[in-house]
Amino acid sequence: MKAYVFPGQGAQFVGMGKNLYDGNEECRAMFEKANEIIGFRITDLMFAGTPEDLKQTKVTQPAIFLHSVILAKYMGDAFKPDMVGGHSLGEFSALVAAGAMSFEDGLRLVIARANAMQKCCEKTPSTMAAVLKLDDKTVEDICASVEGEVVVPANYNCPGQLVISGTNEGVARACEKVKAVKGKALPLAVGGAFHSPLMEPARVELAEAIEKTSFMKPVCPCYQNVDAMPHSDPAEIKKNLLMQLTSPVRWTATVQNMLRDGATEFIEVGPGTALQGMVKRVNPDANAHSAE
C-alpha cells in the first residue's frame, strides 16, 4: 500500500518547482493561477529569490504547498494513494492532493494560515528548538518544569527528535535543562512558536476561513496531525484542521499508524527529503523515497 506524505515549513529551497513550471503546460497554468490568487508573483521568489525571501512565513507556506500539490498533479495517473498525511502545513497539501478540497480553496486557506501565523510571530517574540537524544517523556517533563513562560512539545518527529516551541525565554530555559541531562538542543531558524498556545490568535483567525471552505470526502484516508489517525469524514477533517495550529504534530505516531494499517511504501511529495529520514528513524526497514 502506498502512503504519500507531504512536507512542512523548512523544506523550501531556491529553485523549487521551476522544473514543473518550465516543463509542463498544466503545471505552469496552476502556478500562474496561484500568482493571481496570492496577488504577487510568488514564482519569482520560488525560482530566483533569496533564501531570506523564502524564509518569510507568508512566502514559505504557499511556496511549499504549491510545489507539493502541483507535483502530485504532474504525476497524473501515477498518483494513486492508499493513504496520505502531511507534516504541519503539509496536511493542507495532502488534503488537496487527495481531493478533500479544491486547489484554489486549499491555497486560500494556506495564505490565510500563513498571514495569521505571521501576525502571531510579530506580536510575541517566540521560537522553536529541536531536542535530540532524549525520549519524549523526558522532554515533556522538562517543558512542564519551566515556570512562568510558555514552552511545549510541538513536533513529535521521530524517536529521539522532538521539537519544542514557546517564548524565547521559555525555549532558552528548556534548552539549558536539556543540555544538563546530556540531550542536544538546536535552535531553529523560525519566526515563531508554531503548534503552541501562542498561536491561539492565528487559530481563531484561521477558524473563520476554514468554516467558510467546502470540504469533500478524500479519495483515501488522511492521517491528521492532531491525533495521527486516518480520517475521511469532511466534518472530522475540518474539526481537526481547526485544532492543528495550537496542537502538537504527532508525526511518529502517524508513521506508526500508517505502517500498522498496511503501508509498504512512503513517497514524499514536495521539496526536500526530511520526511523520508523521519520515516526511516521510525522504522529503518521502511521503503521511503521522493516522488521526484
Side-chain angles (χ1 to χ4, degrees):
M1 291 178 77
K2 290 184 177 182
Y4 285 84
V5 291
F6 295 77
Q9 206 156 338
Q12 69 276 4
F13 63 89
V14 175
M16 59 191 286
K18 190 171 189 306
N19 56 336
L20 296 167
Y21 185 96
D22 290 343
N24 183 277
E25 204 171 310
E26 190 179 5
C27 293
R28 187 157 53 251
M30 290 175 78
F31 276 118
E32 289 300 344
K33 180 74 178 170
N35 284 332
E36 202 180 295
I37 290 170
I38 292 169
F40 64 90
R41 292 195 62 79
I42 193 170
T43 48
D44 291 351
L45 299 180
M46 290 171 69
F47 305 160
T50 66
E52 284 307 308
D53 290 333
L54 277 182
K55 244 167 60 180
Q56 301 172 75
T57 296
K58 65 181 182 182
V59 175
T60 312
Q61 294 196 17
I64 291 170
F65 169 85
L66 289 173
H67 188 177
S68 300
V69 169
I70 293 174
L71 175 57
K73 184 73 175 172
Y74 174 76
M75 291 168 74
D77 291 341
F79 182 74
K80 285 198 174 75
D82 295 299
M83 54 186 84
V84 295
H87 191 284
S88 188
L89 161 74
E91 189 168 294
F92 289 78
S93 310
L95 287 167
V96 170
M101 58 179 149
S102 71
F103 169 67
E104 291 83 359
D105 282 348
L107 178 56
R108 288 189 183 98
L109 277 189
V110 167
I111 294 164
R113 181 184 193 265
N115 290 339
M117 289 169 80
Q118 185 94 29
K119 281 184 218 164
C120 283
C121 295
E122 287 162 8
K123 185 179 169 192
T124 308
S126 53
T127 191
M128 302 174 83
V131 177
L132 311 176
K133 299 184 176 179
L134 297 179
D135 63 85
D136 292 350
K137 176 75 167 68
T138 301
V139 182
E140 289 164 356
D141 290 347
I142 285 171
C143 289
S145 73
V146 176
E147 293 176 0
E149 295 287 342
V150 173
V151 58
V152 295
N155 299 348
Y156 291 81
N157 283 339
C158 53
Q161 187 192 119
L162 203 170
V163 173
I164 60 173
S165 183
T167 58
N168 287 348
E169 177 62 21
V171 171
R173 278 169 32 196
C175 287
E176 287 306 313
K177 289 175 179 257
V178 163
K179 289 168 191 167
V181 294
K182 302 288 187 284
K184 194 172 181 184
L186 304 172
L188 299 180
V190 294
F194 307 145
H195 300 287
S196 82
L198 296 176
M199 286 288 134
E200 179 59 21
R203 189 195 67 77
V204 171
E205 195 174 320
L206 185 62
E208 208 175 302
I210 286 175
E211 288 298 352
K212 289 177 187 163
T213 302
S214 294
F215 284 77
M216 297 153 285
K217 187 175 179 178
V219 297
C220 65
C222 181
Y223 288 67
Q224 292 191 271
N225 290 177
V226 296
D227 62 1
M229 298 299 287
H231 295 277
S232 293
D233 176 66
E236 276 182 18
I237 287 170
K238 194 181 266 201
K239 184 188 73 172
N240 290 335
L241 268 189
L242 285 171
M243 294 190 291
Q244 198 220 49
L245 273 186
T246 51
S247 303
V249 174
R250 301 192 177 278
W251 192 251
T252 302
T254 295
V255 175
Q256 288 168 338
N257 290 343
M258 285 177 153
L259 287 164
R260 175 202 68 196
D261 295 342
T264 53
E265 185 181 2
F266 289 82
I267 302 150
E268 185 165 5
V269 188
T273 58
L275 297 186
Q276 297 160 60
M278 291 178 198
V279 168
K280 290 279 195 186
R281 288 289 297 276
V282 175
N283 184 338
D285 298 326
N287 173 12
H289 58 91
S290 181
E292 289 201 285

